[in-house]
Amino acid sequence: MSRERAKRATLPPAQENIEKLEKVVKQGNYYGAQQMFKSISARYVSAERYSEALDILKCGACLQLENGQVTCGSELALLFVETLVKGKVSYNEEILDHVRKTYEKFPRPSVPQNLDLTDDNDDDMQKLSEAIAAAKTRVECCSSFLKASIKWSAEFGALRYGSPELHEMLADYMYSQSPEVDMVKVSFHFVRGRNHKKFASTIINFMGKCYPGEDDLAIARAILMYLSLGNLRDANKLMDEVEKEMQSKHLDFPQSELMQFVNYLLLTLQRDALPLFNMLRQNYKSSIDRDPLFNELLDEVAKKFYGVQRKSPLQGMFGDIFKMMGGE
């Protein structure tokens, strides 16, 4: 028997180790359990028993997260994804479900309510500060896990930009849990998903929180992000969903020059009309300049729809986000 086969034969079924490790976690020895989950799963990886290594890591991640051990849980979740890559495991519904179940274990506590934040109340200020720090850690940990999962899914069989479902999970967690929401990043992931209704409701929720007079920016940004991918169909779908939901909630749709521009743009891109596209950009320049990202996105739109090559592709804010996600 070869050494590799011998190594495989000496390892017990993964479930035996999982049951032992569950007891360690139940005893509250989270650090000890963490080291054991890592070392035992590594043995199965070394023996190329990837399926069992994945079972151990998924169980460990979920147990740690259930017990509020976010850093430990996310570390095991990341190892789960690394093992998918090492084992060259193809993207499929079963693995997506494992990722989803792990994601659902990430805590979603609310920010402490009814705090007295006057200067002389140090205790409540401390509570708020701790809650914000914990939220940032949760978002960072969950984001690292899901970004790694998206990269794996793109490499091993999902769509070019990775699994739409994974993008939606990341967008939702970032929006609901970030102490300071970055709608550029949230929108970046939503446009790579498929849930227009969820995206629309998130935009409308954000519009109720942003500065007065800036609610149209959230809609325009989302539409332009779809268009920068050459995705006119979903840009129109999102616009329809936003309008429909705002009507159902008796909210006034923003009536601004920027919204006029976006509506004209959606019509223009249905035709081979580069001169009209350029004229729109010129006529609505002051509205477009309200957000530095818009010109970046419109350069991409010109490239996707009319073949206009950018002078310096993927530069600036849009390029930084795109590269962050491993885009080409």
Side-chain angles (χ1 to χ4, degrees):
M1 184 184 288
S2 71
R3 184 182 299 176
E4 204 57 51
R5 284 185 182 174
K7 193 190 294 182
R8 290 188 186 201
T10 56
L11 288 172
Q15 190 57 37
E16 289 184 21
N17 279 313
I18 288 172
E19 288 169 3
K20 290 176 188 174
L21 291 166
E22 283 176 338
K23 290 176 184 175
V24 179
V25 172
K26 284 176 183 175
Q27 292 166 0
N29 184 4
Y30 303 120
Y31 178 76
Q34 183 76 356
Q35 302 313 306
M36 292 167 73
F37 272 115
K38 287 164 65 177
S39 61
I40 291 172
S41 64
R43 290 179 210 154
Y44 285 85
V45 170
S46 180
E48 296 183 4
R49 287 168 63 172
Y50 296 110
S51 178
E52 289 170 289
L54 290 168
D55 287 343
I56 292 167
L57 289 166
K58 184 212 163 192
C59 173
C62 289
L63 281 171
Q64 295 282 31
L65 291 168
E66 282 170 4
N67 286 278
Q69 304 300 305
V70 176
T71 305
C72 287
S74 65
E75 183 184 19
L76 294 177
L78 272 172
L79 284 173
F80 176 90
V81 181
E82 286 177 19
T83 303
L84 290 174
V85 175
K86 281 181 186 172
K88 296 181 179 176
V89 179
S90 297
Y91 173 81
N92 59 59
E93 285 299 316
E94 182 184 358
I95 300 297
L96 175 61
D97 192 52
H98 288 325
V99 175
R100 184 186 297 110
K101 284 176 178 171
T102 304
Y103 158 72
E104 288 170 352
K105 297 293 182 183
F106 275 86
R108 291 173 175 255
S110 56
V111 175
Q113 302 296 313
N114 303 318
L115 296 178
D116 178 6
L117 301 181
T118 54
D119 291 340
D120 57 350
N121 197 321
D122 292 339
D123 285 347
D124 278 6
M125 286 293 289
Q126 180 67 21
K127 284 178 187 175
L128 181 61
S129 177
E130 288 171 0
I132 289 171
K136 286 181 177 178
T137 298
R138 285 196 305 276
V139 172
E140 189 177 313
C141 288
C142 187
S143 296
S144 295
F145 164 54
L146 288 176
K147 284 176 186 175
S149 300
I150 289 166
K151 190 174 179 183
W152 157 76
S153 72
E155 188 176 350
F156 289 95
L159 300 175
R160 175 186 170 194
Y161 295 112
S163 162
E165 292 86 352
L166 294 176
H167 279 292
E168 287 160 14
M169 291 177 206
L170 181 50
D172 184 49
Y173 199 83
M174 290 171 76
Y175 184 76
S176 64
Q177 295 301 304
S178 296
E180 297 173 355
V181 174
D182 185 337
M183 272 306 285
V184 174
K185 291 181 180 178
V186 170
S187 298
F188 179 95
H189 293 289
F190 264 126
V191 299
R192 285 157 177 77
R194 293 181 179 139
N195 196 336
H196 308 100
K197 286 189 176 182
K198 179 73 175 177
F199 193 8
S201 63
T202 301
I203 288 170
I204 292 167
N205 182 277
F206 179 75
M207 287 164 65
K209 300 175 181 178
C210 65
Y211 291 111
E214 294 193 355
D215 48 358
D216 57 346
L217 293 175
I219 301 173
R221 183 185 301 115
I223 298 298
L224 291 177
M225 280 190 164
Y226 272 125
L227 296 176
S228 73
L229 299 177
N231 191 345
L232 179 59
R233 183 195 64 184
D234 285 345
N236 278 301
K237 280 186 179 179
L238 180 70
M239 183 66 92
D240 290 343
E241 285 293 340
V242 170
E243 289 177 348
K244 196 187 306 178
E245 186 163 337
M246 292 191 81
Q247 284 176 3
S248 71
K249 293 183 175 179
H250 306 291
L251 297 170
D252 293 328
F253 191 86
Q255 301 296 321
S256 67
E257 285 196 357
L258 182 61
M259 284 295 94
Q260 282 180 18
F261 167 73
V262 169
N263 282 315
Y264 287 142
L265 180 64
L266 289 171
L267 293 170
T268 300
L269 293 177
Q270 294 175 28
R271 304 158 51 195
D272 185 10
L274 178 57
L276 181 54
F277 172 83
N278 289 332
M279 187 178 76
L280 278 175
R281 287 190 72 170
Q282 187 60 42
N283 289 350
Y284 287 91
K285 186 178 185 304
S286 60
S287 296
I288 295 166
D289 288 346
R290 287 171 58 197
D291 187 330
L293 179 60
F294 289 171
N295 277 303
E296 298 272 343
L297 292 170
L298 285 166
D299 285 347
E300 280 296 305
V301 174
K303 180 181 173 184
K304 286 288 192 301
F305 285 86
Y306 300 119
V308 178
Q309 292 302 311
R310 299 186 62 181
K311 292 177 184 176
S312 179
L314 297 178
Q315 61 187 355
M317 201 187 316
F318 179 60
D320 289 343
I321 298 169
F322 198 80
K323 285 184 279 187
M324 173 190 74
M325 285 305 305
E328 59 181 23

